Amino acid sequence: MPRNLTRLPLILMKTIVIGIGVSMLVLAFLIYTTPEDNESDSSGAIYDIHGIDVSHHQGTIHWDKVKNATLHGKRITFVFAKCTEGATHQDKHYNRNREGIKQAGMIVGAYHFFLPGCHPEKQARNFIQHAQLTTGDLPPVLDIEHIGHLSDRQLTNDLLVWLELVEEHFHCVPIIYSGNTFYHQHLNDKRLKRFPFWKAHYQKSGAIPHDTWLFCQYTKQGHVSGIGDGKKTPVDLNVFQGSMEELEDLLIP
């Protein structure tokens, strides 16, 4: 028998070992990537009330297509749209989005992106002037994601200025949106506990932990027909922890 043929079993064995090693490395990568690197929308599947949140980042949205889209077999019930940021900025697509959401028969909400260190009363006035929220809409939302150069207490004091002015104007309790970790690290003040919590909590799989949240943004990598081509432009996916009757009770009277 030629010598090169006698080496064939050894070559095959080395090839198999190398293949197994590569497979194990790939598996380890998939297991240990962070939620941000390997997000999944499966954690929202057990909920009945689904929604999305949008801003100018999604571009021009075709709401007639969004209204017929489904998430885990269920139609989209509500949409939060970015309205304002800081003391002077307005989202350039807010008015168009608000009108399109309403025409599509979905419940509309509006949120303000809070800038720490920027005058909280002026930020509140900016939102009040442009939100146009009315009976049957979701309560206003304060989006807080950064502490800036403020202490936790000063941040809370400024947030309360915004929250209380907006509450007085719209006659309903506003919602606080924040990342789950940020909320528990920096907003752990009993004065904020009466405001419902919309949390961002991304995870690869499994049910969303049932704690004090009212809404949960469970992935920022969702895709919905009518937003871009429905495949490339990402959009945040959300669920409401409650029934349709409970969601309706939450709306601005």
Side-chain angles (χ1 to χ4, degrees):
M1 181 181 295
R3 182 177 298 177
N4 60 340
L5 291 181
T6 62
R7 299 178 58 196
L8 185 59
L10 180 59
I11 294 172
L12 288 174
M13 184 174 295
K14 288 182 178 180
T15 302
I16 292 170
V17 170
I18 292 171
I20 293 173
V22 171
S23 298
M24 291 179 68
L25 287 173
V26 171
L27 180 60
F29 174 79
L30 293 174
I31 291 174
Y32 291 106
T33 47
T34 64
E36 290 77 14
D37 293 331
N38 190 31
E39 290 176 340
S40 167
D41 66 0
S42 63
S43 54
I46 67 171
Y47 295 93
D48 293 325
I49 313 298
H50 292 258
I52 59 176
D53 62 271
V54 300
S55 71
H56 64 280
H57 291 296
Q58 279 72 43
T60 300
I61 298 173
H62 300 284
W63 291 106
D64 55 332
K65 294 182 179 180
V66 175
K67 73 177 182 180
N68 294 318
T70 59
L71 298 171
H72 306 293
K74 302 176 179 68
R75 293 284 179 89
I76 294 170
T77 301
F78 63 89
V79 183
F80 287 106
K82 183 178 181 180
C83 177
T84 51
E85 178 176 334
T88 59
H89 178 75
Q90 296 87 45
D91 189 281
K92 63 183 180 180
H93 288 308
Y94 175 70
N95 290 332
R96 180 191 302 157
N97 283 336
R98 185 178 183 280
E99 181 180 351
I101 294 163
K102 281 186 168 289
Q103 288 181 351
M106 293 174 286
I107 302 171
V108 67
Y111 72 89
H112 172 84
F113 189 86
F114 193 86
L115 297 182
C118 180
H119 198 290
E121 182 175 347
K122 291 181 180 179
Q123 294 198 61
R125 298 301 178 196
N126 185 24
F127 180 81
I128 290 169
Q129 180 180 353
H130 295 95
Q132 304 178 59
L133 294 176
T134 187
T135 300
D137 294 339
L138 284 161
V141 175
L142 180 59
D143 177 348
I144 175 63
E145 303 178 29
H146 307 287
I147 192 168
H149 299 294
L150 304 180
S151 65
D152 289 352
R153 184 170 183 80
Q154 184 58 59
L155 177 64
T156 295
N157 290 341
D158 286 357
L159 295 179
L160 285 169
V161 171
W162 192 99
L163 291 163
E164 290 170 358
L165 284 171
V166 170
E167 179 179 12
E168 180 181 4
H169 180 84
F170 290 105
H171 306 291
C172 65
V173 180
I175 297 167
I176 295 175
Y177 167 92
S178 189
N180 191 54
T181 300
F182 184 91
Y183 180 84
H184 291 292
Q185 286 183 348
H186 301 292
L187 306 180
N188 194 26
D189 189 304
K190 64 181 181 180
R191 294 175 295 169
L192 297 176
K193 298 309 176 186
R194 72 182 184 90
F195 299 97
F197 180 34
W198 170 17
K199 78 170 180 177
H201 188 167
Y202 312 138
Q203 53 189 53
K204 288 180 285 188
S205 62
I208 302 165
H210 292 282
D211 45 33
T212 57
W213 60 272
L214 187 64
F215 293 91
C216 182
Q217 182 189 91
Y218 61 93
T219 181
K220 57 184 177 181
Q221 296 294 334
H223 296 96
V224 172
S225 176
I227 298 179
D229 64 356
K231 297 177 181 179
K232 295 180 181 179
T233 304
V235 64
D236 301 330
L237 305 184
N238 300 270
V239 290
F240 172 72
Q241 187 170 212
S243 66
M244 191 63 203
E245 291 76 15
E246 290 170 318
L247 181 63
E248 291 172 349
D249 288 342
L250 183 68
L251 304 181
I252 297 175

